[in-house]
Amino acid sequence: SDLSRKMRHFGGDLLSFCRLDFHFPDMGLDQELRVGANLRRELFLIYKEAVNNIARHSGCTQVEIRLCVEDSQLRLTVTDNGKGFDSKGDHTGHGLTSRRARSGARGGSLDIHSIPGKGTTLSVSIPLPAGVARVSNQTT
């Protein structure tokens, strides 16, 4: 929950300042996951770069962020309705390379689906380490 709260705060501040409609729905997780600081750091840096790129380059009006656990994977999806880009084209920056390296270093994957004129979706899946502690958020 600390990671999702930090992501909501960062995204909300930046995207609201840019006057973008920002949605980061609560995915209904009733459990807290205890994952290492390195995993949280890498995922947050991937997210931060994606949100910064949306604010600077996308030309979008809406952004939706999803963070959830599915099939023992931590999944992050960032979608915008902006101008999109050719994700297979030659890019001079290091952003895509560094994000792929960050997710790959954790045994995960990063996919980018972008259609010029239609928007972009970045999807990150990182396997949860064996023995990840799950702590219920519910009080009894």
Side-chain angles (χ1 to χ4, degrees), residues 59-113:
C60 72
T61 58
Q62 296 179 330
V63 180
E64 180 158 347
I65 313 294
R66 294 173 50 98
L67 180 65
C68 62
V69 175
E70 293 176 350
D71 302 325
S72 299
Q73 304 252 337
L74 190 56
R75 298 186 193 269
L76 170 67
T77 306
V78 180
T79 303
D80 71 63
N81 68 344
K83 62 185 176 183
F85 64 96
D86 180 4
S87 60
K88 299 196 184 342
D90 185 29
H91 301 282
T92 57
H94 298 291
L96 293 175
T97 302
S98 71
R99 283 183 279 177
R100 283 196 172 99
R102 287 183 190 286
S103 63
R106 307 300 307 169
S109 64
L110 180 138
D111 296 309
I112 297 175
H113 180 71

Side-chain angles (χ1 to χ4, degrees), residues 7-138:
M7 292 168 97
R8 273 189 185 89
H9 182 72
F10 177 81
D13 284 353
L14 179 60
L15 298 173
S16 294
F17 179 77
C18 296
R19 299 182 191 269
L20 301 178
D21 187 15
F22 171 67
H23 298 279
F24 194 145
D26 179 2
M27 297 305 295
L29 294 177
D30 61 353
Q31 295 179 336
E32 181 95 8
L33 297 176
R34 289 197 180 153
V35 296
N38 287 338
L39 175 61
R40 288 191 313 269
R41 179 182 179 275
E42 297 298 332
L43 191 61
F44 184 74
L45 290 174
I46 291 168
Y47 169 78
K48 185 177 174 183
E49 176 141 3
V51 171
N52 276 316
N53 283 343
I54 286 170
R56 291 187 347 213
H57 305 295
S58 76
C60 72
T61 58
Q62 296 179 330
V63 180
E64 180 158 347
I65 313 294
R66 294 173 50 98
L67 180 65
C68 62
V69 175
E70 293 176 350
D71 302 325
S72 299
Q73 304 252 337
L74 190 56
R75 298 186 193 269
L76 170 67
T77 306
V78 180
T79 303
D80 71 63
N81 68 344
K83 62 185 176 183
F85 64 96
D86 180 4
S87 60
K88 299 196 184 342
D90 185 29
H91 301 282
T92 57
H94 298 291
L96 293 175
T97 302
S98 71
R99 283 183 279 177
R100 283 196 172 99
R102 287 183 190 286
S103 63
R106 307 300 307 169
S109 64
L110 180 138
D111 296 309
I112 297 175
H113 180 71
S114 188
I115 300 172
K118 302 275 185 182
T120 302
T121 298
L122 174 134
S123 301
V124 179
S125 295
I126 299 176
L128 291 171
V132 167
R134 294 175 183 257
V135 179
S136 176
N137 280 340
Q138 299 176 350

